[in-house]
Amino acid sequence: MGSGAGERGWAERRPVLFPFLLSLFCLALSEQIRYRIPEEMPEGSVVGNLAKDLRLSVHELPTRKLRVSSEKPYFTVSSESGELLVSSRLDREQICGKKPSCALEFEAVAENPLNFYHVSVEIEDVNDHTPKFMQNSFELQISESTLPGTRFILEVAEDADIGLNSLQTYKLSLSPSFSLISKEKQDGSKYPELVLEKPLDREQQGYHRLVLTASDRGDPPLNGTTELRIQVTDANDNPPVFSQDVYRVSLGENVPPGTTVLQVSATDQDEGVNSEITYSFYRTGQVFGLNSKNGEITTLNTLDFEEIKEYSIVVEGRDGGGLVAQCTVEINIQDENDNRPDVKFHSLVEMILENAVPGTLIALIKIHDRDSGENGEVTCRLEGEVPFKIISSSKNSYKLVTDGTLDREQTPEYNVTITATDKGKPPLSTSTSVTLHITDVNDNAPVFHQTSYVVHVAENNPPGASIAQVSASDPDLGPNSHISYSILASDLEPRALSSYVSVSAQSGVVFAQRAFDHEQLRAFELTLQARDHGSPALSTNVSLRVLVGDRNDNAPRVLYPPLGPDGSALFDTVPRAAQPGYLVTKVVAVDADSGHNAWLSYHVLQASEPGLFSVGLRTGEVRTARALGDRDAARQRLLVAVRDGGQPALSATATLLLVFADSLQEALPDLSDHSEPTDPQAELQFYLVVALALISVLFLLAVILAVALHLRRSSSPAAWGCFQPGVCVKSGPVVPPNYSEGTLPYSYNLCVAHTGKTEFNFLKCNEQLSSGQDILCGDSSGALFPLCNSSESTSHPETLTADLQLHKAARIPQTDSGAAT
């Protein structure tokens, strides 16, 4: 390399235009840019102004983004000037070996619009390799009896350069006994032969040291040396002689190891040990083996034409006396179709818009086959039915373009398989697949999974609970498929809508903002909208009907019989002669719930006399189950439970106070005996009051007895007038005990006074009543009202009559079905 290696003057540009087929119907021209530079140019050296050669201005470079598409980054493009620069070491021997022509071909890619340009850079050889021997010194044994003119093949030097820079001449240091001549092989390479000029005498000089020099013709020329040590051995009259000086053979590559290549043969006219010939390689190799007895050469490893095309081997034949003969074996490797084409994608577009027009450039395809001749000629095709096609761009380069309309929703990606087949016999092919992803555009509106939604929500739901979820899908991708949900309309009041329901914009979950009440709101309808995030956004509506289901949250309410004004149970009378099945009354109840929760059933919980009454399971009619017996009490208490059909069931109770009597006067004594049980604390207080009253009474009796004794002593008849027989035992009215307290009393057997309170009007007796009068008064037997004759019984007939009329008016008329009105 000279100092001018980095200058621009080293590069030459030779643009060549050549036609090629772009498609089936149109023809275009593609310009290939050619440069020539020496090897080993420093990094950053300018190869040429690529932008200028492509007719691109400097202002276009930021937009066109000119770059190099190559397997190995030998070159790069300056983003400021558009110059093609060296980016890595260019070693011609490493890149091309011994090839006479070395060119790097690659693609220059420009974007916006996408286009490819073919560039070829020829690498020229420089004299950067010195001829080199494999060994610094080597020995040669020559018998003293060797005749002048005998030739010996010497060590060959290697030079990686080509042309004049490669090995050209050999020189030998001055010696009166030896001279050197150079010979050339068929491939043009040279090798040295040592010529014996005069007879040797071991006794005078048994050892000769010579220097062998190999030189090229580079500028400046380079040399390599090795020391030749010649040992003169004792006489052996006849050296071995090979049948041929050069053996040539052709061998196909990829022959299995152990294959026989050829057999060399040498003869010796001597006898005995001096005629026994041993064969060996002049330099030990690792590719071929040699049978030292018979000279058969075999392969040790697999041969590869693409690596080494020719082998040159020196074989020695040595007799028992030490004389040596040499021959050259040249093995020519024949190419076979053993390499499949290599397919590679360059500048592949990552994402393809689904609305891309036919003919859009997708990728550049390069195909390479290491074989030669027809074995390296390749054809390319697409497999299957895909909306793409390939068109030839240049030698072993193709373009992949679209060839139809694309729809990402139907086919989001295509697995494109490209098959490359060579023209060998048999042909070899390679298939390479690449996945092409189609980019989405917002061309689909969201679609709900149902045409409409009906949701059943049980009442008394917790506020904030999820009651439904609507779901829509959008076949698009990214923001085009992101869906937001909202409530568009409703049959509820607009101001009240937000207090009833809300919808999650992300998930479509509908939440109840309050607890629904089936008894107040049984159904309402919403219109929901799903909108994607595309530009422009697309939307779809759907209806959601919410049905509020009933729960058993209302217990039955007894309408009949009602409680009295003071909250006590009323009573009803039953004729003593009532036959089985007699309709006594009817329990009427309602339930605010619906369906099974409002189906009521009636049951007897408690009865003073079990089996005496029956209650209709569904009607609530209370009827006598049998006739009243002599042992049955006249006063009966019946506790009826009203249950609904909910799970769990809710219930209410109604208390019926029934008195067997044929008239009101007959029923009154039974009513007076009715007393409400009290709790233990009330009983204790009652006992304390009774004890205190008893003490007071005893004290009064003692006082009265003292007064009576005093009056008796005074013998005043007037003072005893009040104690004469014939008057009422009790001078004041007897008030019946409170009978109105109960669980759920009836209202249609109660005697109601004009004041609205449950009470009776009693006949009063005073001191003027005669002993023969018959009035209602209390007696010692515990009856409510004993009969007493009094003038007031005739003076107040309207009182009792009015009470009886109120009694009749308060009773609900009964029909055959027992329905109350």
Side-chain angles (χ1 to χ4, degrees):
M1 291 186 302
S3 60
E7 297 180 358
R8 192 168 181 177
W10 282 92
E12 297 181 4
R13 181 177 65 86
R14 295 187 298 174
V16 179
L17 298 179
F18 62 94
F20 63 94
L21 184 62
L22 285 179
S23 63
L24 296 177
F25 304 100
C26 61
L27 186 66
L29 295 179
S30 176
E31 180 181 7
Q32 185 173 21
I33 309 301
R34 294 182 180 274
Y35 300 98
R36 177 182 293 175
I37 61 173
E39 65 173 328
E40 301 294 348
M41 289 185 69
E43 295 184 11
S45 300
V46 177
V47 178
N49 195 322
L50 183 61
K52 181 179 178 181
D53 295 335
L54 295 178
R55 299 179 182 87
L56 299 177
S57 65
V58 179
H59 304 290
E60 293 182 89
L61 294 180
T63 304
R64 297 303 300 274
K65 297 180 180 179
L66 185 63
R67 69 180 188 276
V68 171
S69 174
S70 177
E71 297 179 4
K72 296 182 179 180
Y74 290 115
F75 304 97
T76 184
V77 179
S78 172
S79 59
E80 291 82 11
S81 63
E83 293 178 326
L84 184 64
L85 306 177
V86 177
S87 61
S88 62
R89 181 190 176 194
L90 297 176
D91 187 350
R92 186 190 182 283
E93 290 71 32
Q94 183 179 4
I95 297 174
C96 299
K98 286 287 188 176
K99 291 182 180 180
S101 176
C102 181
L104 294 176
E105 295 186 355
F106 53 90
E107 306 292 332
V109 182
E111 299 182 0
N112 301 319
L114 181 64
N115 203 352
F116 300 94
Y117 305 93
H118 305 286
V119 181
S120 176
V121 179
E122 184 177 351
I123 309 299
E124 295 182 344
D125 183 52
V126 296
N127 193 21
D128 58 342
H129 290 86
T130 302
K132 185 178 182 181
F133 291 94
M134 298 299 297
Q135 298 177 355
N136 294 328
S137 64
F138 61 95
E139 294 185 357
L140 182 64
Q141 292 181 351
I142 301 177
S143 175
E144 63 179 339
S145 62
T146 303
L147 298 176
T150 304
R151 298 182 179 185
F152 303 91
I153 300 175
L154 299 181
E155 173 79 12
V156 179
E158 300 288 342
D159 193 333
D161 295 324
I162 63 171
L164 296 178
N165 296 327
S166 64
L167 177 65
Q168 297 295 324
T169 60
Y170 290 95
K171 293 182 180 181
L172 187 67
S173 59
L174 295 177
S175 173
S177 301
F178 300 94
S179 63
L180 187 71
I181 61 175
S182 294
K183 285 195 173 183
E184 186 173 344
K185 299 180 181 179
Q186 286 185 342
D187 61 353
S189 61
K190 297 178 175 60
Y191 64 94
E193 284 189 356
L194 182 68
V195 181
L196 180 63
E197 295 293 336
K198 65 179 183 177
L200 300 176
D201 188 353
R202 187 185 65 83
E203 287 73 23
Q204 292 183 2
Q205 186 177 357
Y207 211 85
H208 297 265
R209 292 177 180 270
L210 303 176
V211 176
L212 181 62
T213 302
S215 302
D216 59 26
R217 293 183 181 177
D219 185 15
L222 301 178
N223 302 319
T225 61
T226 184
E227 184 181 18
L228 178 60
R229 299 174 183 177
I230 301 174
Q231 182 181 3
V232 181
T233 60
D234 198 12
N236 185 12
D237 296 336
N238 297 290
V241 176
F242 280 96
S243 60
Q244 295 177 225
D245 290 337
V246 179
Y247 291 85
R248 293 184 176 89
V249 65
S250 295
L251 186 65
E253 66 173 331
N254 296 330
V255 295
T259 301
T260 299
V261 178
L262 58 85
Q263 185 175 10
V264 296
S265 176
T267 58
D268 194 322
Q269 295 180 359
D270 295 327
E271 295 181 354
V273 176
N274 292 332
S275 65
E276 295 178 0
I277 300 175
T278 302
Y279 301 94
S280 63
F281 286 130
Y282 181 70
R283 285 188 299 178
T284 303
Q286 298 180 350
V287 179
F288 300 96
L290 176 63
N291 190 317
S292 62
K293 299 297 183 181
N294 58 18
E296 184 181 49
I297 299 176
T298 58
T299 59
L300 297 179
N301 298 318
T302 302
L303 306 178
D304 191 351
F305 172 83
E306 286 71 37
E307 292 183 0
I308 301 178
K309 298 178 175 58
E310 187 180 47
Y311 292 90
S312 180
I313 306 173
V314 177
V315 179
E316 289 184 344
R318 186 182 298 273
D319 61 16
L323 295 181
V324 177
Q326 294 179 332
C327 70
T328 302
V329 178
E330 295 182 354
I331 303 174
N332 184 25
I333 308 300
Q334 301 295 321
D335 181 45
E336 294 182 2
N337 192 24
D338 60 340
N339 290 281
R340 297 179 181 274
D342 183 24
V343 181
K344 291 187 177 180
F345 286 87
H346 293 268
S347 302
L348 179 65
V349 177
E350 296 181 356
M351 304 299 288
I352 307 170
L353 290 176
E354 61 178 323
N355 58 356
V357 297
T360 302
L361 183 60
I362 303 301
L364 175 68
I365 305 169
K366 288 188 176 181
I367 301 176
H368 176 68
D369 196 318
R370 296 178 60 193
D371 294 323
S372 302
E374 290 187 351
N375 296 333
E377 296 180 7
V378 181
T379 58
C380 185
R381 71 179 187 276
L382 276 175
E383 300 290 344
E385 295 293 332
V386 292
F388 303 95
K389 67 179 180 180
I390 54 176
I391 57 177
S392 178
S393 176
S394 64
K395 182 181 178 181
N396 297 331
S397 295
Y398 297 86
K399 290 181 180 180
L400 177 65
V401 298
T402 58
D403 190 33
T405 57
L406 306 176
D407 188 354
R408 191 207 63 80
E409 286 70 39
Q410 293 184 0
T411 309
E413 62 183 22
Y414 291 91
N415 190 18
V416 178
T417 300
I418 297 176
T419 301
T421 306
D422 59 27
K423 295 182 179 180
K425 295 181 180 180
L428 299 178
S429 61
T430 300
S431 295
T432 302
S433 298
V434 63
T435 301
L436 301 179
H437 299 276
I438 310 302
T439 303
D440 181 61
V441 296
N442 193 27
D443 56 347
N444 292 278
V447 177
F448 282 97
H449 296 167
Q450 299 181 21
T451 56
S452 62
Y453 292 83
V454 177
V455 179
H456 296 270
V457 181
E459 64 175 335
N460 301 329
N461 55 286
S466 169
I467 62 174
Q469 183 176 16
V470 296
S471 179
S473 59
D474 195 320
D476 294 324
L477 286 180
N480 297 332
S481 66
H482 294 170
I483 299 175
S484 297
Y485 301 90
S486 61
I487 299 177
L488 191 63
S490 172
D491 56 0
L492 297 172
E493 288 290 337
R495 290 177 295 179
L497 175 62
S498 60
S499 64
Y500 276 88
V501 290
S502 65
V503 63
S504 173
Q506 289 75 26
S507 63
V509 177
V510 180
F511 298 95
Q513 298 298 105
R514 62 163 63 179
F516 298 144
D517 190 353
H518 173 78
E519 287 73 35
Q520 294 182 0
L521 179 65
R522 299 199 173 189
F524 59 92
E525 188 167 339
L526 304 173
T527 300
L528 302 178
Q529 182 182 80
R531 178 183 294 269
D532 61 26
H533 293 179
S535 179
L538 302 178
S539 63
T540 304
N541 300 335
V542 73
S543 64
L544 171 67
R545 184 169 180 79
V546 180
L547 302 179
V548 181
D550 182 54
R551 281 186 175 178
N552 194 25
D553 58 343
N554 291 280
R557 184 167 60 89
V558 177
L559 299 179
Y560 189 87
L563 297 175
D566 58 353
S568 60
L570 305 182
F571 72 93
D572 198 358
T573 60
V574 184
R576 290 183 177 274
Q579 296 299 317
Y582 175 79
L583 179 60
V584 177
T585 185
K586 180 177 182 179
V587 179
V588 179
V590 294
D591 196 315
D593 295 322
S594 302
H596 287 81
N597 297 330
W599 288 5
L600 302 181
S601 60
Y602 302 84
H603 310 272
V604 177
L605 287 183
Q606 294 180 1
S608 301
E609 190 66 37
L612 182 58
F613 298 97
S614 65
V615 178
L617 180 64
R618 297 298 177 189
T619 62
E621 295 178 348
V622 180
R623 297 178 181 269
T624 57
R626 59 179 176 82
L628 181 67
D630 295 337
R631 295 183 179 181
D632 295 330
R635 184 179 68 249
Q636 297 290 332
R637 183 176 179 271
L638 191 64
L639 183 61
V640 177
V642 183
R643 297 191 184 96
D644 57 24
Q647 292 294 333
L650 301 178
S651 63
T653 57
T655 303
L656 304 180
L657 300 179
L658 304 177
V659 178
F660 283 90
D662 293 328
S663 63
L664 178 61
Q665 290 80 2
E666 185 181 357
L668 291 177
D670 293 325
L671 292 175
S672 63
D673 291 340
H674 174 69
S675 61
E676 181 181 3
T678 59
D679 58 339
Q681 185 68 23
E683 291 181 1
L684 178 60
Q685 296 177 356
F686 173 74
Y687 293 145
L688 292 177
V689 172
V690 170
L692 182 60
L694 183 58
I695 294 174
S696 301
V697 170
L698 291 177
F699 175 74
L700 290 177
L701 288 177
V703 173
I704 293 172
L705 183 58
V707 172
L709 292 177
H710 178 71
L711 293 177
R712 188 175 183 83
R713 293 190 190 98
S714 65
S715 302
S716 175
W720 291 91
C722 189
F723 298 97
Q724 297 298 323
V727 297
C728 292
V729 176
K730 295 181 181 179
S731 61
V734 178
V735 179
N738 184 11
Y739 63 87
S740 61
E741 297 181 2
T743 307
L744 289 175
Y746 287 96
S747 63
Y748 49 81
N749 279 339
L750 179 64
C751 293
V752 183
H754 297 290
T755 62
K757 297 182 179 179
T758 304
E759 60 183 10
F760 294 94
N761 295 326
F762 301 101
L763 299 178
K764 299 181 181 180
C765 57
N766 51 31
E767 292 79 7
Q768 285 78 19
L769 294 178
S770 63
S771 62
Q773 291 175 332
D774 191 8
I775 64 171
L776 289 174
C777 189
D779 59 5
S780 61
S781 64
L784 286 176
F785 303 103
L787 295 177
C788 300
N789 294 325
S790 172
S791 61
E792 290 186 16
S793 64
T794 58
S795 61
H796 303 284
E798 70 280 4
T799 303
L800 184 57
T801 303
D803 292 340
L804 293 176
Q805 291 176 352
L806 288 174
H807 168 72
K808 293 179 179 180
R811 179 159 183 163
I812 304 296
Q814 299 174 348
T815 63
D816 293 339
S817 63
T821 60

